[in-house]
Amino acid sequence: MTGEPRGAARTAATPVRLGALTLANRVVAAPMERNYCGPDGVPTGHYEHQVSALARGGSALVYAEAAYVRADGRVRPRQLAIDDDGAIAGVRRLADAVHRGGALFGMQLVHGGRLARAEVSGFTSVAPSPVAATVIDGDLPLELDAADAADLVERFGAAARRSVRAGADVISIHAAHGYLISQFLSPRTNLRADRYGDPAVFLREVIAAVRAAVPGTTVGVRVSAYEGVPDGLGVDETVQILDRAGAGGLDFIDVSAGCYEAGQWITPTGELPAGLHAVAARGFADLGPPVGVAGRIADGATAEHVLRDEGADFITVGRALHADPSWTAKILRGEPPRPCIACNYCADMLRTGEPVGCTVNPEAHEALPAAPAPDGEQPDVLVVGAGPAGLEAACRSAALGRRTRIVDRSDHLGGTFALAAGLHEYPEYHRIVDWYAGRLDRLGVLVELGTEVAPGDLAGQDEDLVIMATGLPGLVPDVPGAGLPRVRELTAWLDGGLCAPLDSEYVVWGADRDGAAVADHLAARGVRVVLVGAGDEPAEDVGPRAKLLPLARLRADAGVEFLPNATIESIEPDAVHVRTFAGRRVISGTGPVLVSLGPDGSGAPIQAARAAAPGKTVTPVGAAAGHGGWTAIAVRHAAETVITARPTEPRRHDESQRKGNHP
Ligand SMILES: Cc1cc2nc3c(=O)[nH]c(=O)nc-3n(C[C@H](O)[C@H](O)[C@H](O)COP(=O)(O)O)c2cc1C
Ligand code: SF4
């Protein structure tokens, strides 16, 4: 796209020139808010640690996140500030950390416009026009008068100047995703009659102000190729506006997509194709500057395809680097990184205000404790249960140099997580299970599938330290008829139920994440589903971004009936009796009743295991220890526990007792 011959040496490993700078390779760590700042907008030590890891992990350019240029444009309580000279010192710590790691440092500048709320910023929000963002229950913004719009233009320039003083090598103007600049670009949100009614004017002025503030610095723009809503901007219109705004004179154009009303294009889930925005990004090539592409570029093959075949000049990688900060170095070496499964747990965590974690990376939100220095010989470790928590425990344990064995009574790795990977909402979930399988192999962990180790068997096992990653059984309430063959606990049903011929109708009792995902899966196969939920909506436990597509499908599908605020009172062979706020209801039919009401929270299996093996240290992890619900939490707990767990009385290893073949 930069005039280089198409396909000529355009691989992730080759350098690319952006303005006066040359990036050592074509992988850019995307700007990502992760609640890594304090409430004052100053980066924490963990922020430094993370950007340093990204730099050391091989990405040529590492961004911080969308930093707000004026206080009334702050969207989130822990967003990075660059609105005041007081912010420079904190940003400099990030720049230094990135530079020490060997990468260039980028700052992205934003104003939230109507997406900022008084509750967070302390100010009445401002926007091109008074159009509230109903999708986030946004405040009705004040219409910017021309003088205030001009002030904001200057604020972008001032923020760029501060960023460069703090050590930024690259400035990216955030004109994507529905924030203030995109509000000026879009006819949905810019209803003005003055000169700012021309969608190109505000951006043109911002570009000029930033250029003037930091002459010689590499400056580019991030833009949504399309808004992704029926009345929103498409690719051609966006290209034309950018052209008129003078984006052709910039040093790069970084192409993303979507807006808050169509968040599936901002952080696409695994249901959407890998590298999906690359085709749209081609439309920006004629503007002149090098073009970058973001969106579901999560493996080496997609990275190379987007660069070589789609003609992108660089790739901007977000979640894959959140999952593994060394992703870049690994794909360049041909090693498998810890894979992002595109679940959007991270995107939804932003709303919590807590440091943003990751389903597959237990270190994303907080560094793990350092392993204590070994005092004596390392214990041998038995991990019982090969769900994600067990897999993490086994890999961590082996990486610490402990002989490790993992057993599972089923014939596969990954537990119910692997079974859920068969649901159409989760097509990428298998990737992390596959990755663990490879890692177990490389670390020499002995894997015994189809092996039940019941509490009574523990005393006879060789290992001193037993990690119980057995999860918890699902709860089936003791209502009349609960014992009928048509009633199945949902995760037990998943084991085989997805491959077996489906019935024509199902009742799913429990509209939590799992119940809703199964209902969605069944409905997509033409099965009639009645979803009985305790709350007002299906999947209330899931964040809005992760459930955007399945929830829309469940609502639209005529074959799905959702009964809110409801519970099942009794089940008969040909009827299910439901109580709702509106009264009682009988669902006729003989199809399966799948129960998804969460785990049976009893710690009885662990107590039994401890009682049966008094000479051993038996330590539960993940759901078995009450840290379940979300895989991210279970995996983190497993990692932390294994690092710190030790047998009460370490004993010397006796080779003659050893079974199995691992080193
Ligand atoms: C937790 C989270 C925070 C994000 N914050 C920003 C941001 O500050 N600025 C921005 O332009 N995009 C942001 N994004 C979007 C990413 O930069 C990226 O474009 C998007 O995740 C798609 O790329 P990926 O599939 O590689 O993750 C964020 C995404 C996530 C998941
Ligand atoms: S939380 Fe999910 S989507 Fe986000 S980086 Fe981790 S695996 Fe990827």
Side-chain angles (χ1 to χ4, degrees):
M1 290 187 184
T2 44
E4 295 171 44
R6 206 162 251 251
R10 193 177 295 191
T11 68
T14 54
V16 60
R17 199 167 171 82
L18 303 186
L21 289 174
T22 300
L23 272 55
N25 59 51
R26 292 174 190 254
V27 184
V28 172
M32 266 179 79
E33 281 181 71
R34 283 150 291 188
N35 298 331
Y36 287 166
C37 291
D40 50 3
V42 174
T44 56
H46 186 60
Y47 206 153
E48 282 175 62
H49 177 80
Q50 290 300 93
V51 291
S52 163
L54 289 165
R56 285 181 284 111
S59 301
L61 165 62
V62 175
Y63 280 105
E65 66 185 73
Y68 57 92
V69 301
R70 200 171 84 171
D72 59 356
R74 177 187 204 161
V75 175
R76 273 175 266 273
R78 289 175 188 270
Q79 191 173 355
L80 182 64
I82 192 67
D83 62 324
D84 183 273
D85 283 356
I88 292 176
V91 174
R92 185 173 292 130
R93 283 192 284 112
L94 298 182
D96 290 348
V98 169
H99 290 151
R100 277 197 303 274
L104 298 166
F105 176 61
M107 278 290 283
Q108 185 189 40
L109 309 181
V110 78
H111 186 286
R114 69 183 194 138
L115 296 178
R117 281 176 301 158
E119 189 192 330
V120 173
S121 71
F123 297 90
T124 304
S125 59
V126 292
S129 304
V131 183
T134 48
V135 67
I136 54 153
D137 291 329
D139 307 333
L140 185 67
L142 282 178
E143 179 169 305
L144 281 161
D145 62 30
D148 207 16
D151 178 67
L152 271 171
V153 166
E154 287 312 313
R155 299 296 184 122
F156 274 92
R161 198 176 301 114
R162 273 180 214 115
S163 301
V164 171
R165 274 175 60 198
D169 306 290
V170 172
I171 300 294
S172 176
I173 298 166
H174 199 346
H177 303 164
Y179 296 105
L180 180 75
I181 298 181
S182 28
Q183 290 160 32
F184 275 101
L185 302 183
S186 172
R188 297 185 306 127
T189 42
N190 185 348
L191 315 175
R192 299 174 71 101
D194 67 357
R195 67 195 181 88
Y196 288 113
D198 175 340
V201 169
F202 188 76
L203 176 57
R204 187 191 304 141
E205 292 184 1
V206 169
I207 290 174
V210 170
R211 275 290 198 210
V214 291
T217 299
T218 293
V219 175
V221 65
R222 190 159 215 219
V223 66
S224 287
Y226 49 89
E227 289 190 276
V229 286
D231 50 348
L233 292 172
V235 177
D236 293 345
E237 292 154 297
T238 309
V239 170
Q240 281 167 24
I241 297 171
L242 249 64
D243 192 18
R244 291 199 301 107
L250 287 168
D251 299 317
F252 64 88
I253 298 172
D254 188 12
V255 177
S256 176
C259 59
Y260 269 43
E261 291 80 0
Q264 71 271 26
W265 307 120
I266 303 178
T267 54
T269 58
E271 290 187 50
L272 295 166
L276 71 173
H277 300 321
V279 173
R282 281 196 213 146
F284 293 78
D286 290 343
L287 290 172
V291 173
V293 183
R296 289 265 290 115
I297 300 173
D299 59 79
T302 304
E304 298 300 356
H305 167 71
V306 168
L307 291 164
R308 187 188 55 234
D309 306 324
E310 303 288 359
D313 295 295
F314 62 94
I315 52 174
T316 304
V317 177
R319 291 165 296 169
L321 282 162
H322 192 56
D324 187 339
S326 297
W327 184 88
T328 303
K330 288 178 183 165
I331 63 140
L332 295 182
R333 288 198 299 261
E335 280 174 30
R338 191 183 272 259
C340 166
I341 56 170
C343 63
N344 273 342
Y345 173 81
C346 53
D348 282 323
M349 254 205 101
L350 257 184
R351 295 153 41 95
T352 67
E354 297 297 319
V356 169
C358 171
T359 298
V360 303
N361 176 5
E363 303 184 68
H365 63 294
E366 188 183 0
L368 283 165
D375 58 351
E377 194 163 328
Q378 290 278 18
D380 290 353
V381 177
L382 170 64
V383 179
V384 183
L391 292 169
E392 177 67 26
C395 291
R396 273 294 149 192
S397 160
L400 287 168
R402 299 169 178 174
R403 282 173 188 269
T404 305
R405 180 164 64 111
I406 184 166
V407 299
D408 196 288
R409 67 177 166 205
S410 80
D411 60 359
H412 64 268
L413 295 175
T416 48
F417 189 89
L419 299 175
L423 297 172
H424 82 205
E425 192 184 327
Y426 304 136
E428 294 289 272
Y429 277 28
H430 71 93
R431 295 184 67 208
I432 185 65
V433 180
D434 297 346
W435 179 83
Y436 275 124
R439 191 153 164 78
L440 290 173
D441 190 41
R442 285 191 297 282
L443 289 164
V445 174
L446 183 63
V447 179
E448 293 177 357
L449 296 175
T451 303
E452 171 121 37
V453 175
D457 305 325
L458 280 179
Q461 310 299 316
D462 290 342
E463 296 85 352
D464 302 310
L465 182 54
V466 180
I467 304 286
M468 297 292 282
T470 43
L472 287 174
L475 174 73
V476 179
D478 191 19
V479 296
L484 288 170
R486 67 181 294 211
V487 181
R488 301 287 309 278
E489 193 276 317
L490 185 130
T491 51
W493 172 82
L494 273 176
D495 195 359
L498 285 179
C499 310
L502 294 175
D503 288 72
S504 59
E505 55 186 22
Y506 286 72
V507 174
V508 179
W509 181 12
D512 62 353
R513 176 192 53 193
D514 300 341
V518 166
D520 176 44
H521 184 88
L522 292 171
R525 274 142 192 81
V527 170
R528 280 199 314 114
V529 184
V530 180
L531 183 58
V532 180
D536 294 335
E537 288 245 319
E540 283 185 337
D541 51 340
V542 182
R545 192 63 67 80
K547 69 182 171 195
L548 218 150
L549 296 178
L551 197 59
R553 279 195 298 260
L554 282 174
R555 284 182 178 139
D557 195 318
V560 177
E561 185 181 8
F562 173 60
L563 301 182
N565 311 121
T567 189
I568 290 180
E569 291 189 320
S570 64
I571 303 164
E572 296 170 18
D574 57 0
V576 174
H577 296 265
V578 179
R579 180 166 43 81
T580 75
F581 273 178
R584 290 197 154 72
R585 166 87 190 270
V586 180
I587 305 167
S588 304
T590 57
V593 178
L594 308 179
V595 183
S596 180
L597 294 173
D600 184 350
S602 137
I606 303 301
Q607 284 147 22
R610 283 189 173 137
K616 297 185 188 293
T617 302
V618 179
T619 305
V621 296
H627 295 264
W630 293 99
T631 303
I633 292 167
V635 166
R636 165 75 191 198
H637 182 253
E640 224 171 59
T641 307
V642 167
I643 289 171
T644 49
R646 324 184 130 241
T648 19
E649 284 178 42
R651 59 170 195 176
R652 291 203 63 77
H653 179 69
D654 175 356
E655 277 301 327
S656 65
Q657 293 178 349
R658 192 82 230 135
K659 285 190 222 144
N661 53 6
H662 64 300

